[in-house]
Amino acid sequence: MSAYERWVAEKYEPVNRCIYCGSTDNLSDEHIIPYGLQPRGGDWFLPKASCARCADITKRFEGLCLQGTLGPLRTKLNLKSRNKSKTSVETSINYREDGRIEKANVPIDDFPMVCIGFDWDAAGLLRHANPATEFSGTQIVRYPAGEIEKVIREGQAFKLGRVGQLEFARMLAKIAHSYAVAKFGEGAFEPLLPHLILGHDANAPYLIGGDRSGSPLSSQSVLHDVYPQACDVNGVPHLLVGIRLFAFMGMPRYLVVVGKMRGSAVDRLRTNPL
Ligand SMILES: [Zn+2]
């Protein structure tokens, strides 16, 4: 599948402590884009950056997003997988005429190539809103022309997947935080995301949201796009990370508030915008 072309993976020095809790025990490499969303042959990670306890927590919400929601798409794009790829997808078909719902097992080759994401409002902090736990916006489903029509007959509905907004947001938070540490170092900002990533805080929409502004930096051929941004909030410079997963499918962009910037990072980002 050559739907995307560019995949850039940088190399980084080991952190030697957990970027979520600070522990120095049982450290493993932290994939910046989840392992299961990386193309085969590509490897983008921060060495020795997550302890076993935190890795257990992040694995759980990533698993829900990757298997439940994005599973069939990952298989179709031949992205990485630690398990044997499934050959069929469990779904259900809703016959709307009589309301009958039947379970179905659709071969992966016949399952539509769909991608699910969200068109969210911007992060609450950037809108000067109060912390909140409910996202506002709509779910986005994108697929190449004709994909859905291939499997859905007139008068039928088809279960494409299931997405938990909080799990999805925590996955984005993990990408943003690990990317910011990899790119600028832990000293460059006061982190805001670890509590949310570890599940101690549910105010995800306060720091994670959509980005409906302007035209995306990415080109059509990019699998995933991740980039830093700076933004003053009440006069305080903050480090943000823009994320666009499955950019080549036209998925929405997200903008995640990573933390308050400390001097040097601000200068670097302002004099050398990436
Ligand atoms: Zn940890």
Side-chain angles (χ1 to χ4, degrees):
M1 182 103 210
S2 57
Y4 57 88
E5 287 154 13
R6 187 162 68 90
W7 173 257
V8 183
E10 296 179 336
K11 294 248 180 285
Y12 308 104
E13 293 296 315
V15 183
N16 292 319
R17 58 185 233 124
C18 177
I19 60 171
Y20 308 113
C21 75
S23 166
T24 52
D25 295 336
N26 287 318
L27 296 174
S28 58
D29 300 341
E30 184 61 317
H31 286 85
I32 291 171
I33 292 280
Y35 179 86
L37 293 183
Q38 300 201 13
R40 287 171 202 267
D43 222 357
W44 191 21
F45 63 93
L46 189 52
K48 297 201 168 189
S50 176
C51 75
R53 219 187 101 254
C54 291
D56 245 20
I57 297 171
T58 56
K59 209 186 300 166
R60 231 169 296 148
F61 62 74
E62 279 186 353
L64 289 170
C65 296
L66 265 48
Q67 278 139 39
T69 314
L70 299 168
L73 178 64
R74 290 171 49 224
T75 305
K76 282 179 173 272
L77 292 174
N78 196 26
L79 301 183
K80 287 185 180 187
S81 178
R82 295 194 201 274
N83 311 313
K84 204 168 162 285
S85 289
K86 287 186 179 159
T87 52
S88 65
V89 184
E90 278 171 43
T91 183
S92 54
I93 298 173
N94 183 345
Y95 298 88
R96 281 187 293 207
E97 264 172 27
D98 51 12
R100 195 158 42 95
I101 295 174
E102 273 180 13
K103 286 206 179 310
N105 232 326
V106 178
I108 200 110
D109 289 340
D110 298 341
F111 199 82
M113 188 170 132
V114 288
C115 193
I116 301 176
F118 300 95
D119 178 28
W120 281 327
D121 286 349
L125 182 69
L126 303 178
R127 292 182 284 115
H128 309 287
N130 292 322
T133 56
E134 295 292 314
F135 280 95
S136 79
T138 51
Q139 187 170 308
I140 298 284
V141 179
R142 295 244 158 86
Y143 49 89
E147 273 290 300
I148 300 267
E149 293 76 2
K150 261 187 348 202
V151 275
I152 301 179
R153 315 267 175 277
E154 190 75 31
Q156 288 183 4
F158 198 80
K159 188 178 136 196
L160 295 169
R162 182 171 23 87
V163 210
Q165 299 197 77
L166 183 56
E167 283 80 37
F168 195 84
R170 286 169 79 190
M171 180 174 80
L172 295 173
K174 206 206 88 163
I175 296 171
H177 180 72
S178 59
Y179 174 82
V181 172
K183 198 92 188 158
F184 300 102
E186 282 187 297
F189 60 96
E190 287 172 41
L192 290 171
L193 294 168
H195 280 307
L196 214 147
I197 294 167
L198 297 179
H200 306 318
D201 176 3
N203 290 304
Y206 189 58
L207 299 173
I208 300 151
D211 180 3
R212 300 176 181 134
S213 70
S215 67
L217 293 173
S218 63
S219 72
Q220 295 243 310
S221 58
V222 180
L223 177 58
H224 309 301
D225 207 7
V226 185
Y227 47 91
Q229 237 172 274
C231 178
D232 280 353
V233 182
N234 298 325
V236 181
H238 280 68
L239 178 61
L240 316 180
V241 170
I243 302 170
R244 197 175 189 207
L245 301 175
F246 300 100
F248 74 96
M249 290 186 73
M251 295 308 291
R253 281 180 301 155
Y254 308 99
L255 198 51
V256 181
V257 184
V258 168
K260 287 180 198 163
M261 287 205 268
R262 296 184 173 125
S264 59
V266 183
D267 299 339
R268 259 175 79 188
L269 204 57
R270 289 217 170 120
T271 53
N272 187 21
L274 290 148

